[in-house]
Amino acid sequence: MTSSTPDPETAKYVESTPTSRELQDEAEQYLPGGSSRGTAYFAPYPIFVERGEGHYIHDVDGNRYLDFMLNATSLIMGHAHPEITWALSEQAARGVAFSGPTAVQIRLAEMLCERIPSMELVRFTSSGTEATLNAIRVARAYTGKHGIAKFEGGYHGSHEYASISVHPAADELDPDGPTAVPEFPGMPPSVAEEVVVLPYNDLDACEAILGERHKGLACVIMEAVVSNFGYAPAEIGFLRGMRDLTRDLGMLLVFDEVQSLRITPGGAQEMFGVEPDLTALGKIIGGGMPAGAFGGRRDIMSLFDPGRGADAIPHAGTFNANPMTMTAGETTMRHLTPEVYERMNRLGGMLRAKLQSVFDEMDMPVQVTGIASFFGIHFTDAPVTDYRSMLAGDQWMTKALFTGLLNEGILLQQSCAGSLSTLTTERHVDGLVDAVRRVVGRVRE
Ligand SMILES: Cc1ncc(COP(=O)(O)O)c(C=O)c1O
């Protein structure tokens, strides 16, 4: 825990969260930094959660927060939704995990394949990390090439080959363009050698780089709506260009839709009309339970078919397709009709417009990004289109707004991005907009 003199918003936060502070001290005795998840920590210490209910979470000090973090966008139906808790308790009574398959995994797989345009076959995992890892693995097996390309600032989970140039610091950036920067010390240099890093939304640069390197590259992995950029969507011409380029150069195109499946029933590929070869999923498909999946073209995914004998790619996972996750996922997917998406996305548009007018009224250079039910706030005067324009935002203001909103009873992601849920109403939207106005007013003073 840091102990420097806090700013007024942090001081107020500390005053209202004494039990969380005590629990953080206790947690630090047994867990590094008191945590099992880097993103769950924020300075001076995170709130410890007592329970969640609908759009709200309650901390151990009795404070209530309107939750737009929603466990990193995964809780699209909010907390403890009665339909999901009922389905889970029914399943728990019948057993939580078996080594054999269950019928519910077929139902969820069928729904995903029917909704997602490019998905012919799908495999379940227990996390989005395993989903992108396996998508990359099968791309290598299919193409017979080892390297991969990803974008500067793109997050695809915590495995080795995804952990390149995710959050490079400003002083690590080569002004001439992206380079492979390892995310953690001790990474074998061979990993960075096998990962080519590309600049987002710059088709000419991608053509030049991939034109030179494609012979060693199995795939390009990318998000069409980039979570790390406050959910800035790709320019459509860029996305179409990447589709054509990868096809022409003999690489597979992998869409990471771990987050973006929440924008339409068929994800970003449906919204933009661009079909990848493979897609990685996670978050909402598990209805709040640990989840991931990857799938795509039948001829590629068939490489996992155990009927191929020794030729099949092995894919194990003790909790893959466990019936608790499958049941919560099925309940969620059934709930997410086109009308539900339409309503949530309309409120998302309203929120982004209202937030932008707050900053415009205050004459502040702020970019409100996002699409559908996603939003992001950046304290910068230039449009956010790639990692470097995102990094240009004022990080001090971002932290101040995040902490100030906690004091207003609102939880966002630490980057001041977030997402709506099926429970969000216009009242919640206005609550967030008014709180942002108050916090920014206070912080500017
Ligand atoms: C775009 C994206 N890909 C992959 C992952 C990894 O998913 P998980 O945390 O389930 O391993 C995440 C998680 O935040 C994500 O946002």
Side-chain angles (χ1 to χ4, degrees):
M1 202 186 301
T2 50
S3 57
S4 53
T5 311
D7 61 87
E9 292 299 333
T10 305
K12 192 168 171 211
Y13 171 75
V14 168
E15 199 184 313
S16 59
T17 55
T19 317
S20 284
R21 185 187 190 129
E22 275 169 31
L23 286 176
Q24 174 69 18
D25 287 343
E26 197 181 328
E28 284 178 11
Q29 294 176 46
Y30 309 106
L31 299 150
S35 183
S36 291
R37 183 180 176 190
T39 47
Y41 177 83
F42 55 80
Y45 53 86
I47 50 165
F48 277 67
V49 181
E50 200 257 323
R51 71 195 156 90
E53 196 179 23
H55 218 319
Y56 293 87
I57 57 172
H58 299 254
D59 74 9
V60 287
D61 287 291
N63 302 305
R64 188 177 83 144
Y65 303 86
L66 178 58
D67 186 3
F68 291 101
M69 209 295 180
L70 296 167
N71 195 21
T73 76
S74 61
L75 295 165
I76 198 165
M77 288 167 68
H79 297 272
H81 193 287
E83 283 175 43
I84 296 178
T85 46
W86 183 84
L88 282 175
S89 59
E90 285 280 297
Q91 182 59 51
R94 291 199 300 273
V96 297
F98 313 109
S99 53
T102 55
V104 61
Q105 76 161 324
I106 310 173
R107 296 199 295 272
L108 183 56
E110 185 183 355
M111 270 193 275
L112 295 175
C113 291
E114 273 174 3
R115 290 176 183 208
I116 301 170
S118 68
M119 196 160 283
E120 293 180 321
L121 290 177
V122 62
R123 268 272 168 125
F124 290 106
T125 62
S126 295
S127 66
T129 292
E130 293 163 87
T132 59
L133 181 154
N134 280 289
I136 290 171
R137 179 170 292 168
V138 73
R140 287 177 169 147
Y142 185 83
T143 60
K145 299 189 275 184
H146 302 144
I148 67 161
K150 71 177 287 289
F151 286 89
E152 192 172 61
Y155 179 65
H156 304 293
S158 54
H159 57 92
E160 240 65 8
Y161 287 91
S163 298
I164 295 285
S165 299
V166 181
H167 303 106
D171 60 6
E172 290 177 307
L173 298 177
D174 183 337
D176 291 339
T179 52
V181 181
E183 282 292 295
F184 45 83
M187 188 184 277
S190 58
V191 175
E193 284 159 19
E194 296 284 9
V195 180
V196 170
V197 184
L198 304 167
Y200 206 78
N201 272 326
D202 186 344
L203 190 58
D204 290 344
C206 291
E207 271 171 2
I209 298 167
L210 295 177
E212 236 175 66
R213 301 285 304 267
H214 69 278
K215 287 202 178 95
L217 300 179
C219 65
V220 175
I221 184 165
M222 65 184 296
E223 288 179 286
V225 173
V226 189
S227 39
N228 254 356
F229 306 168
Y231 304 104
E235 286 156 17
I236 183 71
F238 172 69
L239 214 49
R240 289 191 185 130
M242 287 308 297
R243 175 60 286 185
D244 294 342
L245 187 60
T246 46
R247 190 182 286 123
D248 293 349
L249 295 177
M251 289 175 283
L252 298 186
L253 181 62
V254 181
F255 274 5
D256 180 343
E257 298 232 39
V258 167
Q259 297 215 37
S260 56
L261 188 67
R262 65 155 39 240
I263 71 174
T264 67
Q269 57 194 271
E270 180 189 354
M271 185 175 272
F272 297 121
V274 176
E275 287 191 25
D277 301 295
L278 292 166
T279 303
L281 303 172
K283 308 229 191 259
I284 66 165
I285 65 159
M289 300 293 289
F294 63 100
R297 274 169 43 193
R298 183 174 293 273
D299 59 331
I300 304 172
M301 288 300 293
S302 298
L303 295 180
F304 286 98
D305 181 350
R308 297 169 62 94
D311 280 352
I313 302 176
H315 173 227
T318 305
F319 297 105
N320 289 358
N322 74 79
M324 296 294 278
T325 297
M326 297 296 100
T327 297
E330 183 195 15
T331 308
T332 302
M333 289 298 137
R334 284 203 193 292
H335 190 89
L336 293 178
T337 59
E339 296 71 40
V340 170
Y341 274 98
E342 198 276 322
R343 183 182 162 280
M344 223 177 11
N345 293 354
R346 190 173 43 75
L347 286 168
M350 180 190 289
L351 172 62
R352 290 188 297 276
K354 287 188 175 187
L355 284 172
Q356 191 66 64
S357 40
V358 164
F359 294 114
D360 291 349
E361 276 162 30
M362 293 178 142
D363 208 13
M364 283 183 78
V366 171
Q367 308 293 317
V368 177
T369 49
I371 187 171
S373 57
F374 286 126
F375 63 93
I377 301 170
H378 313 257
F379 293 93
T380 175
D381 54 4
V384 173
T385 56
D386 60 11
Y387 180 69
R388 296 178 187 213
S389 49
M390 185 278 293
L391 204 60
D394 180 336
Q395 302 307 315
W396 189 89
M397 274 303 293
T398 304
K399 171 73 180 156
L401 177 58
F402 171 75
T403 311
L405 285 173
L406 284 174
N407 292 331
E408 295 277 340
I410 294 182
L411 178 66
L412 300 189
Q413 298 171 17
Q414 292 178 57
S415 58
C416 286
S419 63
L420 275 51
S421 79
T422 59
L423 305 174
T424 307
T425 63
E426 207 171 324
R427 194 171 57 84
H428 296 129
V429 166
D430 289 340
L432 173 56
V433 171
D434 292 343
V436 167
R437 187 184 285 112
R438 283 193 297 274
V439 174
V440 173
R442 286 204 299 272
V443 169
R444 281 178 109 192
E445 277 173 25

